[in-house]
Amino acid sequence: MNGSELFQVLCQFWLTKISKAKAHKNLVFQDDADEAFRFFNGPHDFMYEAGQTGSPEDLPLPSFRMTSNRVAEVVQLFGPALYHTNPSCQVTPREPVILPPAIYGNPMAFQQATAAADARRSLDQAKSTILESYLRWVPVETQMRTHARKAVEEALIKGRGLLWVELYQPPGTSFKTVGAYYDSVDNFQIDPDADSMENAKWVARHCIKPVWEVEREYGLAPGTLHGNITSAEAQSYAEVTTDGAHRAKTGETNDLIRYWKIYSRMGLGARLQGMGNAYRGAMDLFGDHVFLVVADGHPYPLNVPSPIYGAQGDPKFVEQLIRRISWPTPFWLNNAWPVAILDFHPVPGQPWPMSHIKPGLGELKFLNWSYSFLAGKIRNTTRDFIAVLKQAGEELKTSILEGKDLTLLEIDGQYKTIGEVVQFLQHPSMNGDIFRVIEAVERNFEKRVGLNELMYGSSENQLRSAAEADIKSNNLSVRPDDMAECVEAFMKQVFVMLGGASRYHLRGADVAPLVGSDVALFWDKYLATMNYASASRELEYRIEAGSVRKPNRARDTQNITDAMQVLYPQFVQYGAGTGDFGPANAMITEYCRVRDIPNPQRFFMRPPVQPALPGPGGPPPAQSAA
């Protein structure tokens, strides 16, 4: 079998495996995620359609159909608390280990080890400073706040948020950068045999782009690819779903192509079930970590186009093929995927999490049905019916229907009371039990998702003491603090990937427009490397306090305030006696950093200017007055 036939078979097998992964994902995750999203931003009456919460034959349909958007409240209250602004990354060198002097046997060996550790610490500190200066710029240039907010909100609604770390070249520039970009979890597939993300052997990302853009990305000649957006799957999706019309892309202005990016840890695909052993020898030559791009209707991977098969006799053919099917960034060296994943509620034994909304979906459906039937009941019970004797005069009927506020009604003498002629019909009063049931179900839903009264800044009962307020505040913050820690770990993972990818892909010419030529020179000398494993491990990354919801901000502020009161006067006194105000200025710098005060150099203390000493001929002559 030649290379063209081999890759054609390979594409079909991968597309089949992706289809099976989609079916498994729908069962354990996607159906609940889609339902939660419809409660957030779907048609207001989607619940009452056949196949949603029960067919019309099973459940009566209300005449007034409404949806109470409690999911939007969850997003609007939790989202801002979890992600405030662009995160600020701090890069610190790992402290070298120095063993006790007795281990070395003689003082000279200990001194040499200490000197080597000091030199390594100084070099790592320089690397940290250079890399941190670049990573502080990346969130602004790549609009990380926008992408990360989308990922956090999707994690709240559906259960998982994603940021893909990729190389990017800003339009109209000659330099490259790296960024973390949001894409919906709907476009993400995982090996269905895996019981966790760590054990998955492959993941895939669904993409839709204009044909010309994909041809340019993979170096294909114009006209090589053809659009496939109007697939049977897309048409059926738009027909059977209420929101399909505004979610499905139709290719009305561009010729679009659907394709999958596959990141494999099991080689090209010889180990896929059903492939057989005939191809394993040839495929195993390319290793376990392979990147493929496949699309329906195309017999070869888009990143391994058919023109290169004719070059199999070329000595550089294997080298070119390996380059094309290698992961763009070797995140696998760090046992990571090219995507940072945010899960608030992992599910043991499977790679897909649970939506934050899922525990309350039952109560939410009941509330929407109850509200809808109550609205219909109100519509019926608020109508006015007036019963009038048929033989009553037309003048009386006209006065009742069209009379002014003060209208005189004349009743025929044969009737004793007005009630014998005219009577209002009143519906029976509404049973108050339904309101108590709704209130109880609402409380249960709020407990499921954390929407208690204090989240709104109010309390039904007055707090009787400071201790009670502290208890309520601590209990209230348990769930948000845990979710904030998840967001912080997520953003730390993003910056670790950004740092490693920056060192792997970028060179001084790429960072010079952002951090200056001096830093770019040292970037090439100290940071640029093709060893991704060491690039992502030798430095530590953390999110600075205050960039996400985290109690460290208040703690750091209190610590530096206390230190200023105790230590700063001593540092000033020391500087006045020695002329060394370095410790005092360092404390000023830290205080301004925690307090977000720019340009701390404005407040630095400097040694006083010493008066000029008299020359050998005595004091300088006095200046005469003008």
Side-chain angles (χ1 to χ4, degrees):
M1 179 180 290
N2 59 36
S4 178
E5 294 173 346
L6 174 63
F7 278 106
Q8 183 173 354
V9 172
L10 196 63
C11 287
Q12 293 304 315
F13 266 85
W14 274 115
L15 290 171
T16 300
K17 299 307 177 185
I18 291 173
S19 178
K20 293 182 178 180
K22 290 170 62 178
H24 177 260
K25 178 187 178 185
N26 290 340
L27 181 65
V28 300
F29 174 80
Q30 193 66 54
D31 290 343
D32 293 328
D34 288 342
E35 189 167 34
F37 187 81
R38 290 191 183 99
F39 276 112
F40 171 68
N41 190 34
H44 73 279
D45 58 350
F46 83 94
M47 253 187 57
Y48 311 101
E49 295 184 354
Q52 295 294 331
T53 56
S55 64
E57 293 78 13
D58 297 329
L59 293 173
L61 289 176
S63 57
F64 186 90
R65 303 176 185 182
M66 63 177 290
T67 296
S68 175
N69 203 334
R70 306 303 301 275
V71 178
E73 296 180 46
V74 174
V75 174
Q76 292 164 9
L77 289 174
F78 279 91
L82 296 176
Y83 191 90
H84 284 242
T85 182
N86 265 332
S88 182
C89 175
Q90 183 171 351
V91 184
T92 57
R94 294 187 175 179
E95 193 67 21
V97 178
I98 301 178
L99 300 176
I103 300 295
Y104 294 91
N106 63 79
M108 183 62 68
F110 175 71
Q111 291 176 5
Q112 291 176 351
T114 304
D118 290 340
R120 187 163 60 252
R121 183 186 296 109
S122 298
L123 178 60
D124 287 348
Q125 183 60 56
K127 291 181 178 180
S128 301
T129 302
I130 295 171
L131 185 58
E132 182 178 324
S133 67
Y134 178 75
L135 291 182
R136 285 180 177 270
W137 170 89
V138 168
V140 178
E141 171 65 20
T142 59
Q143 299 180 356
M144 182 181 287
R145 181 180 185 276
T146 300
H147 292 279
R149 276 296 293 266
K150 290 179 180 179
V152 170
E153 291 179 358
E154 187 165 44
L156 280 170
I157 300 167
K158 296 182 178 180
R160 171 166 288 175
L162 304 176
L163 287 178
W164 292 83
V165 176
E166 298 176 314
L167 192 65
Y168 170 70
Q169 182 169 346
T173 65
S174 59
F175 64 89
K176 300 184 294 292
T177 185
V178 294
Y181 303 100
Y182 161 80
D183 191 19
S184 174
V185 70
D186 298 346
N187 298 325
F188 187 52
Q189 298 296 337
I190 305 172
D191 174 12
D193 296 325
D195 59 2
S196 66
M197 281 299 303
E198 293 75 19
N199 294 332
K201 296 304 179 185
W202 61 269
V203 301
R205 180 184 180 185
H206 182 226
C207 304
I208 299 177
K209 288 185 178 180
V211 169
W212 61 267
E213 189 174 335
V214 178
E215 290 174 339
R216 178 184 298 177
E217 180 178 358
Y218 295 107
L220 305 176
T224 303
L225 303 179
H226 59 82
N228 60 3
I229 195 64
T230 54
S231 64
E233 178 188 2
Q235 293 175 356
S236 62
Y237 178 83
E239 291 171 0
V240 302
T241 59
T242 55
D243 56 347
H246 71 265
R247 288 186 59 187
K249 297 182 179 180
T250 58
E252 294 178 354
T253 61
N254 280 289
D255 193 13
L256 302 178
I257 181 172
R258 295 175 181 265
Y259 60 98
W260 292 90
K261 294 181 178 180
I262 302 170
Y263 299 86
S264 170
R265 290 180 177 173
M266 54 184 294
L268 273 174
R271 300 179 180 91
L272 292 173
Q273 185 179 10
M275 278 291 290
N277 296 324
Y279 317 111
R280 178 163 296 182
M283 292 188 184
D284 283 349
L285 294 175
F286 301 101
D288 293 336
H289 301 90
V290 171
F291 171 69
L292 291 174
V293 184
V294 299
D296 283 316
H298 292 79
Y300 54 82
L302 305 189
N303 60 327
V304 190
S306 57
I308 76 166
Y309 302 142
Q312 294 184 38
D314 190 334
K316 295 184 178 180
F317 167 72
V318 175
E319 178 183 346
Q320 181 185 10
L321 184 59
I322 291 177
R323 179 178 56 82
R324 282 180 171 269
I325 65 175
S326 297
W327 286 26
T329 306
F331 293 108
W332 56 269
L333 287 170
N334 231 12
N335 195 31
W337 298 102
V339 59
I341 297 176
L342 173 60
D343 294 344
F344 290 123
H345 309 293
V347 177
Q350 69 177 41
W352 294 104
M354 178 180 68
S355 166
H356 186 72
I357 308 300
K358 182 178 178 179
L361 279 178
E363 287 85 354
L364 187 57
K365 292 176 183 178
F366 173 83
L367 291 175
N368 285 298
W369 276 89
S370 301
Y371 292 149
S372 297
F373 279 108
L374 280 177
K377 179 71 172 177
I378 292 172
R379 172 182 174 273
N380 293 330
T381 57
T382 54
R383 292 183 298 169
D384 292 325
F385 293 93
I386 305 174
V388 182
L389 287 177
K390 190 173 183 179
Q391 57 268 34
E394 291 298 326
E395 182 179 353
L396 177 61
K397 297 177 183 179
T398 302
S399 298
I400 293 174
L401 295 176
E402 303 176 6
K404 300 179 180 179
D405 290 342
L406 181 61
T407 302
L408 179 63
L409 301 178
E410 295 183 353
I411 306 299
D412 196 315
Q414 61 178 319
Y415 303 107
K416 296 180 179 179
T417 62
I418 186 65
E420 296 180 10
V421 182
V422 180
Q423 189 174 10
F424 278 83
L425 299 182
Q426 185 175 5
H427 285 267
S429 60
M430 193 176 298
N431 192 331
D433 291 343
I434 184 61
F435 295 104
R436 288 190 290 270
V437 172
I438 289 176
E439 184 178 356
V441 175
E442 279 185 330
R443 285 197 300 268
N444 284 338
F445 174 78
E446 291 165 356
K447 290 177 182 178
R448 305 285 187 271
V449 299
L451 283 179
N452 60 52
E453 61 202 31
L454 296 181
M455 287 292 291
Y456 296 90
S458 62
S459 178
E460 293 182 359
N461 302 318
Q462 184 176 0
L463 302 179
R464 293 168 293 183
S465 65
E468 181 182 358
D470 288 340
I471 292 174
K472 281 197 171 186
S473 177
N474 292 335
N475 291 338
L476 168 67
S477 63
V478 168
R479 185 163 10 195
D481 283 350
D482 176 66
M483 298 171 73
E485 290 295 329
C486 293
V487 174
E488 183 190 0
F490 169 64
M491 295 310 302
K492 178 180 177 180
Q493 179 189 7
V494 169
F495 274 107
V496 170
M497 297 171 70
L498 287 174
S502 298
R503 297 185 60 185
Y504 182 80
H505 287 291
L506 306 184
R507 298 298 177 259
D510 296 309
V511 302
L514 315 173
V515 295
S517 57
D518 292 340
V519 175
L521 177 65
F522 289 101
W523 180 282
D524 282 337
K525 184 176 182 180
Y526 294 124
L527 289 178
T529 177
M530 294 303 294
N531 188 343
Y532 178 83
S534 64
S536 58
R537 286 192 175 102
E538 66 182 11
L539 300 174
E540 293 182 335
Y541 304 79
R542 76 177 181 90
I543 307 303
E544 279 195 352
S547 57
V548 295
R549 187 182 186 277
K550 186 168 178 266
N552 288 12
R553 182 70 167 192
R555 184 196 65 190
D556 290 350
T557 302
Q558 185 62 44
N559 287 345
I560 191 61
T561 301
D562 294 342
M564 289 289 289
Q565 296 174 358
V566 177
L567 298 177
Y568 184 72
Q570 299 182 26
F571 290 161
V572 172
Q573 185 177 359
Y574 166 78
T578 63
D580 179 13
F581 287 96
N585 292 336
M587 183 158 286
I588 291 173
T589 301
E590 182 66 13
Y591 181 84
C592 292
R593 184 188 70 81
V594 172
R595 293 283 187 173
D596 291 329
I597 301 175
N599 301 326
Q601 295 82 0
R602 297 175 295 162
F603 310 108
F604 281 2
M605 302 190 68
R606 296 173 176 81
V609 179
Q610 300 293 333
L613 297 176
Q623 299 291 331
S624 59

